[in-house]
Structure formats: structure tokens, C-alpha cells
Amino acid sequence: MRYFDDFQPGEVSEFGPYVVSREEIIAFAKQFDPQPFHLSDEAAREGIFGSIVASGWHTASICHKLIVEGLLGKAASLGSPGLDELRWLKPVRPGDTLSVRTEVLSTTPSRSKQDRGAIKFRFEVRNQHGDVVMSEVANALFARRTP
């Protein structure tokens, strides 16, 4: 179990891989982001992407899954007060293999609650070519090992 005290600014970790299928792109879009270029090859060909692409929210969900499996599921996570930044930089297509690179930007012990601290992370989702397809600056709360 990792606690707030175990994280250091500058620490880098990588998680993944995750292969994105055409079927899951469409299933996610049908439920949460039913824009034509997420649902249909024909509609996507006529749009700016030229082919079907994943919703940015789908990419963010894959990012979170990999972070939970690789980091948060093994840590004293207390949730998140939110994001400072979220950027979708390149489309994610069927067959892309995604991985997540995390960097600890800062650690700040809570002044009002001695049992916890806040960590600011940068997350980068990369495809199989090393291209950053999404970036995020996120804040997370973690329990302290010894308050």
C-alpha cells in the first residue's frame, strides 16, 4: 500500500498497455457520446477524422482504468477534488494500443487535516507510436502513513 508520504515530485511511472477495439468505441459512444464520427465508418469518412475514432471521454476512461489498476488500487487514495487541465491532442482509432505515463508534479500535506495530503499529477496517454493522444493534470488526495 502506498501512502501520501511515499510519493516524491518528479517520480515517473508507466501503466498499460490497453488495446482499443472498434466494438468498444461504438458501444461507449452509443451510451455516452453518440456523435456520428464515433458510431459509423460512413459518417466518420465524411468528417475531419476520415475514420471512426474514440470519444475523448472514452480515452479519459481508459486512462483512469490504467491508473486505478497500476497505482490507485494499490494506494491509500481518498478520491480527487478535480482536474486542472484535460487535453485531447490526437484521435484514438480502433486497434491503437494505449499506455499511460504519470509524473508527480507536487505533494502538499494538508494544513487542516493531518491525516492526508494532496498530490498533483500529470498523466499522458500515448499510443503505440509514442504520440501523446491525451494529457491531464489531476489532483488526488491520499492518506498519510502517520499523521
Side-chain angles (χ1 to χ4, degrees), residues 4-126:
F4 168 81
D5 313 86
D6 300 323
F7 292 89
Q8 298 298 317
E11 175 184 329
V12 173
S13 301
E14 294 195 22
F15 308 109
Y18 184 93
V19 179
V20 183
S21 74
R22 181 179 185 283
E23 295 75 23
E24 77 176 283
I25 288 172
I26 293 169
F28 185 96
K30 279 182 180 176
Q31 188 166 6
F32 300 108
D33 191 358
Q35 296 182 76
F37 48 85
H38 299 319
L39 296 169
S40 156
D41 290 313
E42 296 77 32
R45 271 194 291 279
E46 296 173 15
I48 63 171
F49 300 112
S51 67
I52 199 165
V53 296
S55 165
W57 296 112
H58 186 187
T59 303
S61 296
I62 292 167
C63 175
H64 190 69
K65 173 187 172 53
L66 293 173
I67 291 165
V68 168
E69 290 176 352
L71 174 69
L72 297 178
K74 304 168 190 167
S77 172
L78 300 174
S80 171
L83 304 175
D84 290 345
E85 176 184 306
L86 176 62
R87 301 282 186 262
W88 294 299
L89 304 167
K90 291 193 173 205
V92 171
R93 301 178 188 279
D96 278 355
T97 301
L98 304 181
S99 60
V100 177
R101 180 185 185 273
T102 69
E103 180 183 1
V104 176
L105 298 178
S106 65
T107 59
T108 308
S110 174
R111 285 185 242 156
S112 61
K113 297 181 181 176
Q114 300 295 313
D115 66 338
R116 66 193 69 182
I119 300 177
K120 185 179 294 276
F121 290 95
R122 176 177 309 285
F123 302 137
E124 290 182 340
V125 180
R126 297 171 188 245

